[in-house]
């Protein structure tokens, strides 16, 4: 058995620890988006594979027998490429994916299908917007320059931001409700824009928004083709045939 673990999430790091402890032959793959990615207890490769064809060749050349897709729920391109390449090479793929967030009493969420609709859902009058969506899609918000934006990024931006009126906080999760409440109060936030990523550490901003009575514009996950999904490390290990190797 030789596993390719597609990473970039807290879940992927958790799975890496469990696979390493179980002695499973596995390779961890990063896209290479952050300057200082977390250390992993597995051999690591960094960077794109070169689309579906590149990934297909990689799977064949390295003798991968199983792929665990533990990428972010919004990393749809990578996930679709992995499905296609695994089908070509005829090896099994499992998506280790956190459940989406569902509203709790007191949450004031407007769910939208994509980032363009998130922009359209902002008010016309100037607002102070916590744009908690990473850095890749923020340029779309340049069409609403009347708002003041708060961005939270993992790395300092290397190029000027596409948003003129933006404050940047550099921080890496997990975050807490107390910390995010203080952050939003400090910046007098009136609206939160977030992706429905799921998980614990990133939920803090939604709990803080509820505590402060703020509206949240929540972007839905991209629609994926049907695939096998595991919600827990136990399920992943059972799928691999290693049910006893837990406890990390
Ligand atoms: P994406 O749009 O689905 O992927 C774009 C391309 O990046 C892929 O086609 C692939 O290039 C490369 N890539 C993505 N993940 C990779 C991985 N784990 N290993 C090797 N290559 C990878 O993905 P994205 O939204 O840019 O996300 C990139 C990474 O950041 C992922 O690892 C994801 O888990 C993490 N992340 C994403 C988000 C988000 O909101 N999208 C949030 C937090 C973390 P090739 O086609 O050349 O193979």
């Amino acid at each position: 058995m030789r596993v390719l673990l597609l990473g970039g999430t807290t879940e992927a790091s958790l799975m890496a620890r469990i696979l390493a402890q179980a002695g499973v032959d596995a390779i961890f793959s990063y896209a290479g988006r952050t300057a200082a990615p977390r250390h992993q207890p597995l051999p690591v490769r960094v960077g794109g594979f070169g689309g579906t064809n590149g990934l297909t060749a990689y799977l064949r050349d390295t003798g991968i027998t199983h792929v665990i897709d533990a990428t972010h729920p919004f990393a749809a391109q990578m996930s679709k490429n992995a499905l296609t390449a695994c089908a070509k090479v005829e090896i099994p793929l499992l998506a280790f994916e956190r459940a989406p967030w569902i509203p709790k009493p007191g949450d004031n969420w407007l769910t939208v299908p994509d980032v363009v609709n998130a922009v359209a859902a902002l008010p016309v009058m100037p607002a102070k917007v916590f744009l908690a969506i990473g850095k890749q899609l923020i340029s779309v918000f340049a069409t609403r320059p009347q708002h003041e934006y708060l961005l939270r990024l993992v790395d300092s931006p290397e190029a000027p931001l596409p948003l003129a009126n933006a404050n940047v906080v550099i921080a890496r999760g997990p975050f807490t409700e107390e910390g995010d409440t203080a952050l939003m109060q400090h910046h007098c936030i009136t609206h939160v824009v977030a992706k429905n990523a799921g998980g614990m550490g990133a939920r803090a901003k939604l709990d803080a928004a509820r505590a402060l009575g703020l509206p949240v514009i929540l972007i839905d996950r991209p629609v994926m083709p049907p695939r096998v999904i595991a919600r827990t490390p136990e399920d992943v290990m059972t799928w691999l045939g290693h049910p006893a190797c837990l406890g990390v």
Side-chain angles (χ1 to χ4, degrees):
M1 173 186 295
R2 185 159 228 221
V3 176
L4 175 64
L5 175 59
L6 298 171
T9 59
T10 310
E11 286 72 18
S13 297
L14 171 64
M15 236 21 263
R17 289 202 299 278
I18 293 171
L19 291 172
Q21 197 177 64
V24 175
D25 180 10
I27 300 165
F28 190 104
S29 178
Y30 272 123
R33 297 281 189 272
T34 56
R38 282 180 206 284
H39 173 78
Q40 300 296 341
L42 295 173
V44 171
R45 65 161 303 285
V46 181
F49 297 94
T52 305
N53 289 342
L55 180 57
T56 304
Y58 177 87
L59 297 175
R60 284 204 177 109
D61 294 349
T62 51
I64 299 293
T65 59
H66 297 71
V67 174
I68 300 171
D69 178 1
T71 57
H72 193 270
F74 282 77
Q77 189 60 55
M78 184 70 250
S79 294
K80 286 177 186 166
N81 290 356
L83 274 171
T84 306
C86 286
K88 276 192 190 169
V89 182
E90 297 183 348
I91 60 170
L93 176 143
L94 180 74
F96 179 32
E97 190 190 72
R98 27 183 148 156
W101 292 314
I102 51 172
K104 296 178 183 174
D107 277 323
N108 177 8
W109 295 358
L110 174 68
T111 300
V112 294
D114 52 34
V115 72
V116 172
N117 281 281
V119 174
L122 285 173
V124 175
M125 296 301 288
K128 292 186 186 249
V129 182
F130 182 17
L131 202 48
I133 61 168
K135 65 180 174 188
Q136 288 186 49
L137 298 171
I138 56 176
S139 60
V140 186
F141 289 83
T143 58
R144 296 292 188 279
Q146 69 269 44
H147 305 310
E148 187 175 331
Y149 295 98
L150 172 65
L151 309 177
R152 180 160 60 192
L153 305 175
V154 175
D155 297 312
S156 297
E158 287 166 0
L161 291 168
L163 302 175
N165 197 4
N167 298 302
V168 179
V169 174
I170 306 299
R172 193 193 284 255
F175 302 104
T176 63
E177 180 182 340
E178 293 71 26
D180 278 2
T181 302
L183 179 74
M184 291 189 210
Q185 281 177 318
H186 180 72
H187 289 273
C188 302
I189 294 299
T190 60
H191 295 73
V192 177
V193 177
K195 295 173 175 174
N196 194 338
M200 293 305 294
R203 172 142 195 144
K205 55 184 173 276
L206 304 181
D207 295 332
R210 184 178 58 250
L212 295 169
L214 299 180
V216 176
I217 298 165
L218 195 62
I219 304 170
D220 250 346
R221 296 175 173 197
V223 178
M224 287 297 301
R227 56 190 185 154
V228 183
I229 291 177
R231 296 280 189 223
T232 66
E234 288 83 356
D235 290 345
V236 178
M237 294 308 279
T238 302
W239 178 79
L240 285 174
H242 275 256
C245 300
L246 291 171
V248 174

